[in-house]
Amino acid sequence: MTSHHSRNIPGVAHPATGRKRPNPPRHVPPWAWAVPAVVLVFLARYVAAVAGGWYAFTDWNGLTPTATFTGLENFRQIFTDQGARTALLNTVKFAACFVVLTNLVGLFLAVALNQHLRTRYLLRTAFFAPVVMSQLATAFIWRFLFDYSGPINGALDVLGLGALKKTWLANPTWSFWAVVVVLVWQFSGLAMVILLAGLQGIPQEVEEAAEIDGASSWQRLVRVTLPLLAPALAISIQLSVISGLAIFDQVMALTNGGPLGATETLATQVYKQTFVFGRYGYGTALALLLTVLIAAAAIIQQLTTRAAERRNA
């Protein structure tokens, strides 16, 4: 009897072989499997970012092994340097134009393609396609289109509007709007998809009830559709704000920040100051300022959205 039980008890030697039966695996809580990934992300993203932020308070040039602590000197230079202030102002202007125009165009496309058109799936794909294209590659294509001897000025000539021909990317005023056009063209499809998903979540009965009550198409859009679309619109706006504040590829490919700094942004200044001029400390301070700007915009947008939701609840 004793021998029978000893064959089944973990850790007790088998009478015939003399080997101990291995202990069964202990129960592992499900969250424990996520610990290695969480630690890796924490170390690679957050710890590295915080450690890199320290250089914003130094005069490190990226070559010497040591850096001298300079306090807030880099930030003082940012707010007293005309070029940096222009870049900061341009960043805010780009973000504002990008958020408004991208979401307006995206809303128009979403409402139009939410109708029962035979070609709606093909059109949705066509308008979303620029989102997945390489930002740098498409910017170089647009650079060719905006060239003085390019297709846009050529089309104006054909239409008898030669007086409207411009050096789109060499003019301080028009170069800003040329970059905005490229940004809106590339990202309106993303806003369209987000808002289209929101539109398809609105019950059809609500629209039909408003129509039976005599509401016009405009009244249904403003008083019924848009309030119910607020959650999707909030997501689209938040993504637009973050993308608009961090634009880089399009500016570098189209104008390289020129002419005369008309399209210079904080992101392009971070690259130039850090990797072109070797001012790593100053470039890190610019990057830190841009990060704070994006975080502040995201927090304000979240607080505004929650306040609106509480009012409508």
Side-chain angles (χ1 to χ4, degrees):
M1 188 69 178
T2 304
S3 174
H4 172 75
H5 283 293
S6 65
R7 287 198 298 269
N8 299 316
I9 298 174
V12 177
H14 192 279
T17 62
R19 295 178 181 175
K20 290 185 177 180
R21 185 182 181 84
N23 292 323
R26 296 180 178 178
H27 175 68
V28 179
W31 57 265
W33 297 103
V35 170
V38 171
V39 171
L40 183 62
V41 170
F42 182 75
L43 292 175
R45 293 189 65 89
Y46 299 105
V47 174
V50 172
W54 179 79
Y55 288 100
F57 304 94
T58 70
D59 63 349
W60 192 44
N61 60 10
L63 297 176
T64 56
T66 58
T68 304
F69 182 76
T70 58
L72 298 175
E73 176 60 22
N74 287 328
F75 296 94
R76 188 194 66 78
Q77 290 183 26
I78 290 174
F79 290 103
T80 55
D81 178 65
Q82 182 60 41
R85 285 188 298 178
T86 301
L88 176 60
L89 179 61
N90 287 340
T91 301
V92 176
K93 287 166 59 180
F94 271 128
C97 295
F98 178 70
V99 170
V100 173
L101 295 176
T102 299
N103 285 285
L104 280 178
V105 175
L107 178 61
F108 173 79
L109 293 174
V111 172
L113 298 180
N114 196 36
Q115 309 302 318
H116 295 289
L117 302 173
R118 286 186 177 181
T119 58
R120 62 183 182 279
Y121 296 113
L122 177 63
L123 292 174
R124 290 174 188 173
T125 304
F127 284 114
F128 184 73
V131 178
V132 297
M133 293 180 181
S134 165
Q135 297 180 18
L136 202 57
T138 53
F140 277 113
I141 294 173
W142 275 98
R143 183 175 176 175
F144 163 72
L145 296 176
F146 280 126
D147 191 86
Y148 188 77
S149 57
I152 292 178
N153 281 340
L156 291 174
D157 267 336
V158 172
L159 296 173
L161 301 174
L164 298 179
K165 290 171 58 178
K166 300 186 184 304
T167 51
W168 302 101
L169 299 179
N171 183 298
T173 300
W174 290 105
S175 60
F176 176 87
W177 292 107
V179 175
V180 171
V181 166
V182 176
L183 292 171
V184 173
W185 170 81
Q186 185 146 34
F187 292 101
S188 293
L190 180 59
M192 176 198 72
V193 169
I194 296 172
L195 297 178
L196 192 58
L199 283 174
Q200 293 182 347
I202 297 175
Q204 190 66 28
E205 295 80 6
V206 177
E207 294 273 357
E208 293 174 353
E211 187 175 3
I212 293 172
D213 289 342
S216 64
S217 299
W218 175 253
Q219 289 173 326
R220 292 201 304 274
L221 175 65
V222 174
R223 298 183 180 179
V224 177
T225 304
L226 288 182
L228 294 174
L229 197 60
L233 197 57
I235 295 173
S236 180
I237 289 175
Q238 184 162 14
L239 292 176
S240 303
V241 169
I242 295 172
S243 301
L245 289 173
I247 58 169
F248 176 79
D249 291 353
Q250 293 84 356
V251 173
M252 290 300 291
L254 288 168
T255 63
N256 194 25
L260 302 176
T263 58
E264 199 76 71
T265 66
L266 283 179
T268 59
Q269 273 291 294
V270 169
Y271 169 77
K272 291 178 180 177
Q273 295 294 338
T274 304
F275 299 108
V276 177
F277 303 124
R279 302 177 68 191
Y280 278 72
Y282 186 71
T284 308
L286 286 167
L288 195 58
L289 177 63
L290 180 60
T291 303
V292 171
L293 194 61
I294 292 174
I299 291 172
I300 291 172
Q301 196 274 332
Q302 280 289 324
L303 293 176
T304 306
T305 301
R306 289 183 182 181
E309 288 176 352
R310 281 196 294 270
R311 284 198 301 270
N312 296 329

